[in-house]
């Protein structure tokens, strides 16, 4: 029989890894087998297979569904929230409740994009009971998944929604005011910090400053140098 072609070898390797991925733990995530053939959608699919049954922290015991995140693997923009709520836990999809509808409006009406064009996820992939704040051991256990998602997608800009995801990615302070109004960087990717849609539902006055943040995101996506944007 002829030697397998490089394409056949890669396919065989992927199939093997997909089977192994069933027992994978997120903190053991290895670098992608496709590193030299960067194919974001396949790599995200593989990552999902690796973590879909994750038991690495206590939230596995109470979740209904793991909420991996959804959207475009080649997205220029990744939005990162805190953790799934009740609606997300029930459906396995990120940002689908009232806050999700508002976020969809920001994306479609404010940015004139569709949810399919960007990628939306949370720091934690499983719901903390009663929507309590994520705990340090849960963040430590789960962070590897988000890091890998960002490495695979490598967007032009990350938008963190609320103080929690800003703190986890940037670690500069605990209040939203410690971050807003300036472009930050996570592993050389520009980060714009804005309000969580839940905060906008509680306080509509925050829509105006959120729009200011959206305009900065759009500028970066359209090619403006984030280092030249300064403060707003
Ligand atoms: S929150 Fe993250 S680390 Fe914990 S079980 Fe879910 S996927 Fe695993």
């Amino acid at each position: 029989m002829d030697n397998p072609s490089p394409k056949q070898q890669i396919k065989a390797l992927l199939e093997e890894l997909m089977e192994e991925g069933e027992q994978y733990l997120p903190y053991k995530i290895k670098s992608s087998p496709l590193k030299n053939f960067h194919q974001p959608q396949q790599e995200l699919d593989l990552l999902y297979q690796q973590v879909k049954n994750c038991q690495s922290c206590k939230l596995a015991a109470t979740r209904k569904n793991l909420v991996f995140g959804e959207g475009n693997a080649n997205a220029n923009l990744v939005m990162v929230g805190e953790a799934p709520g009740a609606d997300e836990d029930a459906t396995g999809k990120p940002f689908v409740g009232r806050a999700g509808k508002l976020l969809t409006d920001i994306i479609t009406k404010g940015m004139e994009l569709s949810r399919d064009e960007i990628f939306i996820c949370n720091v934690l992939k499983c719901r903390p009971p009663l929507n309590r704040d994520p705990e340090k051991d849960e963040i430590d256990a789960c962070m590897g998944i988000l890091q890998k998602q960002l490495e695979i997608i490598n967007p032009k800009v990350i938008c963190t929604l609320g103080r929690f995801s800003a703190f986890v990615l940037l670690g500069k302070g605990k209040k939203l005011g410690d971050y807003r109004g300036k472009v930050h960087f996570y592993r050389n990717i520009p980060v714009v910090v804005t309000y969580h849609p839940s905060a906008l539902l509680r306080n509509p006055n925050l829509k105006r400053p959120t729009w200011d943040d959206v305009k900065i995101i759009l500028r970066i996506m359209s090619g403006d140098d984030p280092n030249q944007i300064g403060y707003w």
Side-chain angles (χ1 to χ4, degrees):
M1 188 180 155
D2 293 341
N3 286 334
S5 67
K7 196 172 169 185
Q8 288 168 323
Q9 288 177 24
I10 292 167
K11 187 164 177 283
L13 176 61
L14 260 181
E15 284 168 355
E16 200 179 305
L17 283 166
M18 295 284 261
E19 283 169 22
E20 285 180 9
E22 296 292 323
Q23 296 100 40
Y24 240 97
L25 296 174
Y27 58 79
K28 288 184 179 170
I29 290 167
K30 298 176 191 167
S31 54
S32 166
L34 297 176
K35 200 171 178 58
N36 297 325
F37 305 89
H38 188 51
Q39 299 185 50
Q41 188 59 61
Q42 288 88 333
E43 293 182 42
L44 271 189
D45 291 346
L46 178 58
L47 179 63
Y48 174 69
Q49 293 301 323
Q50 290 170 347
V51 303
K52 68 181 183 183
N53 298 316
C54 178
Q55 303 288 323
S56 292
C57 82
K58 55 188 178 296
L59 297 180
T62 51
R63 73 171 178 235
K64 291 194 181 84
N65 286 292
L66 183 146
V67 185
F68 181 72
E70 67 179 9
N72 192 323
N74 295 294
N76 287 329
L77 168 63
V78 174
M79 291 183 142
V80 184
E82 177 175 319
D87 294 319
E88 290 77 19
D89 185 43
T91 59
K93 295 176 178 295
F95 285 93
V96 291
R98 280 182 70 220
K101 183 172 181 323
L102 180 53
L103 182 66
T104 303
D105 284 348
I106 292 169
I107 295 163
T108 56
K109 296 174 186 166
M111 299 182 166
E112 298 186 344
L113 297 168
S114 72
R115 279 180 63 126
D116 292 343
E117 288 177 89
I118 69 171
F119 193 85
I120 305 172
C121 61
N122 287 297
V123 173
L124 291 190
K125 309 307 183 194
C126 303
R127 182 192 182 204
L130 302 174
N131 296 347
R132 64 156 168 75
D133 283 348
E135 295 177 353
K136 185 173 183 314
D137 60 316
E138 296 158 1
I139 299 165
D140 290 346
C142 205
M143 191 58 193
I145 303 176
L146 175 61
Q147 286 170 340
K148 192 71 188 169
Q149 287 174 317
L150 293 173
E151 180 188 319
I152 291 169
I153 300 169
N154 192 25
K156 278 187 179 169
V157 56
I158 297 167
C159 172
T160 63
L161 302 164
R163 65 184 171 84
F164 177 81
S165 49
F167 175 66
V168 168
L169 285 182
L170 304 170
K172 292 181 180 169
K174 297 215 166 175
K175 301 193 302 291
L176 202 76
D178 295 331
Y179 298 97
R180 273 203 65 258
K182 178 180 185 302
V183 178
H184 302 268
F185 289 87
Y186 168 80
R187 297 186 176 177
N188 293 325
I189 303 171
V191 180
V192 175
V193 175
T194 195
Y195 295 95
H196 194 283
S198 302
L200 272 62
L201 288 174
R202 290 192 297 270
N203 181 1
N205 290 332
L206 297 178
K207 287 185 181 176
R208 187 59 177 262
T210 300
W211 174 235
D212 291 337
D213 300 334
V214 165
K215 285 189 284 190
I216 299 298
I217 292 168
L218 293 173
R219 280 179 59 186
I220 298 172
M221 289 176 72
S222 65
D224 276 13
D225 181 352
N227 291 297
Q228 303 296 324
I229 287 175
Y231 292 83
W232 61 94

